[in-house]
Amino acid sequence: MRGRKILSRSWKLVALPLLVLAAPALAKDPPPTGTLVDNVVGITPDGKGGVERFTGLLIDGNGNIAATYRDKESRPKRVAYKVDGKGRVVVPGLIDAHVHVMETGFARMTLDLSGARSLEEALVMVRAYVAAHPDRAWIEGGGWNQANWATDRMPTSVELDRVTGGKPAFLTRVDGHAAWVNSAALAAAGVTDATADPAGGRIERTAGSRRPAGVLVDAAQELVRAKVPPPRPSDRDTAFGEAQLEFLAQGVTAVADMGTTIQDWQAYRRAGDAGNLRIRIVSYAKGVDNMELIGGSGPSAWLYGDRLKIQGVKLYLDGALGSRGAWLKAPYADAPETSGLPRMSETQLGNLMSRAAIDNFQVAVHAIGDKANETALDTIDQLSDTYKGDRRWRIEHAQVLAPADIGRFAAHGTIASMQPQHEASDRLMAEARLGPQRLAGAYAWKSVSAAGARLAFGSDTPVEPPSPFVGLAVAVSRQGADGQPAGGWQPQERLTFSQALAGYTTGAAYAMFAEDRLGRIAPGMKADFLFIDRDPTTATPDSLRQTKVLETWISGVQAWSAARGVSRQPVPTVPARNNSGH
């Protein structure tokens, strides 16, 4: 590399007189630059709470938007490339503010139980998978959801034993907060009647005894997970490729990866080094240990042409509502013996948040239950006296809020990172878990926004598919794919289309300190955009849900198309540039 620099400098010194002599000719006829995408129906957030339209856009040589044009505005006469949009709709690349990248990929490589609508269906699927993969030492997979089964009870190891042929099995619940294991897996981990529940976890027991029943909730999963053979680097590379393909096909151009491990980060770096990193990933490390390993003394610079950076840390305060691990102020309506599982104390949370804030890492706290959200907000109140400036504390999910806490998000600029698709999937289960008195603060997007907080929307994939157009449809209707319930569930929390779009664009960009380059189609922003098959501003919720992505462009280059799939052109490896200091 040093030799190349010396040669370059030498060439400039020798050629300088020639360049000066040729300057007049070059000035008369400069080479054309940029790409003009014209004849489109362009829609973008205007940055003021509304949307604006355009019919053409100019992309400069660095993959940024140089200009946008309306109908009668003149275009540049000479450009390097022209793209005829053929009257198709163009919108900004969508940002998923809460994903699990590697888990999304691995979900496509292992047993998927998300389609099971009964315990019996799940067992049939497991049996078939075991027969089809005789080489697997462990049966791995996930996606099951007992709340979708008629009985809404947890499955057991005895039931799983019948279809696994003696091989150990580890199958995570759809939300990742519980695992269904068989007797072989429990034996491999030494989990017995005498095994105590770990802090922040629960071993489900057979009624009337201490015998492990076959489901491990939250931290208890680690008892068996530690025995599952870890994936190889090549497996991680494959999983990343699978996840990236899914994001591109859904029109997701940037993601916030919640819970990045050092092994995940190295997989992203390998993809970047090989020119295969197309989406933009902003990482939030899985706990402080991974934060230190990945980021060292603070958030990283943007790498690979603004495609990768470590921004913060993800901390878990409670579990999930479906497995009754969400930390509630009062007992569960359908399980009065429990109020959920705090994963740590308020003091422990404060210490970890402080450790991250000292080095300017952004903090994202998983909080689903109303007690967990209250505790997170209390801790932010306390830390904000010490850690000044633009911190952008994040609360991930903010799923169940006490009405008194809704207005507290705005006090210190706390971001509510929420997932509209969860409302449609969870509503019946939420009614059972919470009872009618606590529903007013459940999935309360409009109330949180109206109180002055910023919303950032995502999918929580693989818990839900990374389908932002489905999320938009839910956000404006509060209805599922079946159109139920009529008028929407808790319809006072419906958003306008502009508000919902902001959640997946400008709001999500702001939540990851990327609003200076992502979230809008406007001069100076990255040329990340989609061609889609309809105008989302006039679509009904059902039509919006059916939106098809035709092409996905990132940095002014087509990264994916419905006709051809992923672009095979390597992404240039661009040196890291200085970050913005956040």
Side-chain angles (χ1 to χ4, degrees):
M1 182 62 74
R2 288 178 181 172
R4 290 181 186 173
K5 288 183 178 178
I6 291 170
L7 272 172
S8 175
R9 289 171 183 161
S10 174
W11 178 86
K12 287 180 181 177
L13 287 172
V14 172
L16 185 57
L18 297 177
L19 288 174
V20 171
L21 290 172
L26 290 175
K28 289 181 180 178
D29 193 17
T33 61
T35 299
L36 177 64
V37 180
D38 211 356
N39 187 21
V40 301
V41 178
I43 300 163
T44 184
D46 62 7
K48 304 173 186 176
V51 297
E52 59 187 12
R53 294 179 177 268
F54 57 92
T55 57
L57 63 140
L58 181 66
I59 305 165
D60 69 19
N62 296 316
N64 299 323
I65 303 292
T68 59
Y69 306 99
R70 296 187 180 181
D71 262 337
K72 296 181 180 179
E73 291 181 325
S74 62
R75 274 61 165 167
K77 291 183 173 59
R78 300 181 70 244
V79 293
Y81 303 99
K82 288 183 180 180
V83 176
D84 181 0
K86 300 179 180 178
R88 294 178 297 173
V89 176
V90 167
V91 297
L94 298 173
I95 303 171
D96 195 317
H98 187 117
V99 308
H100 305 280
V101 173
M102 298 305 293
E103 289 87 342
T104 298
F106 280 121
R108 295 168 66 95
M109 299 164 61
T110 55
L111 172 58
D112 179 10
L113 296 173
S114 60
R117 289 297 173 262
S118 68
L119 173 61
E120 291 71 27
E121 280 189 23
L123 292 172
V124 168
M125 295 167 75
V126 174
R127 187 191 298 276
Y129 186 87
V130 172
H133 297 86
D135 57 325
R136 301 286 171 92
W138 279 71
I139 307 305
E140 297 179 69
W144 60 272
N145 184 357
Q146 88 291 346
N148 289 336
W149 303 345
T151 56
D152 191 12
R153 71 161 176 83
M154 292 293 190
T156 68
S157 58
V158 173
E159 291 160 333
L160 193 53
D161 289 344
R162 297 201 301 263
V163 296
T164 46
K167 290 185 177 181
F170 187 87
L171 306 172
T172 56
R173 191 179 183 277
V174 63
D175 54 19
H177 286 272
W180 181 16
V181 297
N182 63 2
S183 297
L186 290 169
V191 178
T192 68
D193 301 29
T195 305
D197 289 349
R202 181 176 68 246
I203 302 171
E204 296 286 339
R205 314 278 179 172
T206 302
S209 75
R210 286 190 51 80
R211 178 185 173 190
V215 168
L216 309 173
V217 180
D218 287 318
Q221 296 178 88
E222 303 309 317
L223 298 172
V224 172
R225 197 194 306 272
K227 300 299 180 181
V228 179
R232 301 165 298 182
S234 59
D235 296 328
R236 292 184 182 277
D237 294 343
T238 301
F240 172 70
E242 292 285 344
Q244 178 169 247
L245 175 60
E246 180 71 8
F247 292 134
L248 291 172
Q250 297 287 353
V252 174
T253 56
V255 299
D257 186 35
M258 288 292 161
T260 308
T261 66
I262 184 62
Q263 293 86 359
D264 299 340
W265 179 259
Q266 294 296 346
Y268 307 154
R269 292 298 302 264
R270 287 193 295 273
D273 291 342
N276 294 327
L277 181 59
R278 286 168 169 76
I279 61 169
R280 304 188 194 278
I281 302 175
V282 177
S283 285
Y284 292 78
K286 185 177 182 179
V288 167
D289 290 345
N290 281 291
M291 178 193 80
E292 293 175 340
L293 286 171
I294 297 169
S297 60
S300 73
W302 282 98
L303 307 170
Y304 309 111
D306 291 6
R307 279 178 166 80
L308 179 65
K309 74 173 301 191
I310 175 71
Q311 179 62 49
V313 64
K314 166 79 176 297
L315 304 173
Y316 283 91
L317 185 51
D318 68 346
L321 206 58
S323 51
R324 299 185 182 87
W327 188 16
L328 302 178
K329 293 184 177 184
Y332 279 77
D334 60 353
E337 70 278 7
T338 183
S339 296
L341 285 171
R343 301 285 293 269
M344 63 183 76
S345 69
E346 183 173 350
T347 299
Q348 290 171 317
L349 176 67
N351 288 340
L352 291 173
M353 291 177 68
S354 181
R355 170 64 191 88
I358 285 173
D359 285 333
N360 293 312
F361 287 102
Q362 188 184 11
V363 177
V365 179
H366 167 113
I368 287 181
D370 52 7
K371 182 60 177 177
N373 278 280
E374 178 189 63
T375 302
L377 290 166
D378 287 346
T379 307
I380 290 169
D381 282 346
Q382 296 164 15
L383 294 180
S384 293
D385 291 334
T386 301
Y387 301 104
K388 307 293 185 181
D390 189 6
R391 293 288 170 173
R392 302 191 195 180
W393 314 100
R394 295 176 58 136
I395 294 184
E396 303 302 314
H397 307 302
Q399 211 160 292
V400 183
L401 302 172
D405 288 330
I406 289 175
R408 300 177 63 195
F409 278 78
H412 302 293
T414 301
I415 293 159
S417 174
M418 306 174 84
Q419 298 76 43
Q421 289 158 272
H422 284 340
E423 180 272 321
S425 299
D426 293 356
R427 65 177 180 86
L428 296 177
M429 177 269 293
E431 289 175 352
R433 299 288 188 271
L434 300 174
Q437 299 305 317
R438 286 179 284 198
L439 296 181
Y443 313 86
W445 318 315
K446 187 170 184 178
S447 294
V448 171
S449 177
R454 288 182 182 260
L455 300 179
F457 281 165
S459 66
D460 199 15
T461 177
V463 180
E464 304 280 357
S467 305
F469 291 101
V470 173
L472 286 166
V474 175
V476 300
S477 70
R478 305 280 290 192
Q479 294 174 319
D482 58 359
Q484 295 299 316
W489 188 75
Q490 302 291 319
Q492 71 278 5
E493 296 297 340
R494 288 179 299 195
L495 298 174
T496 66
F497 176 79
S498 295
Q499 291 171 323
L501 180 63
Y504 288 102
T505 53
T506 53
Y510 179 88
M512 58 174 67
F513 284 98
E515 74 277 12
D516 61 340
R517 66 201 71 194
L518 305 179
R520 298 173 58 212
I521 298 176
M525 309 296 277
K526 287 293 176 184
D528 297 356
F529 58 91
L530 315 175
F531 285 100
I532 58 176
D533 70 344
R534 68 199 69 194
D535 184 338
T537 66
T538 59
T540 64
D542 184 59
S543 176
L544 188 55
R545 182 184 292 273
Q546 302 302 322
T547 300
K548 298 293 187 294
V549 177
L550 306 175
E551 297 178 15
T552 301
W553 290 58
I554 300 177
S555 280
V557 175
Q558 187 188 91
W560 179 91
S561 76
R564 292 183 294 277
V566 176
S567 168
R568 297 300 174 189
Q569 180 181 354
V571 177
T573 52
V574 181
R577 73 185 228 189
N578 290 334
N579 65 347
S580 54
H582 298 300

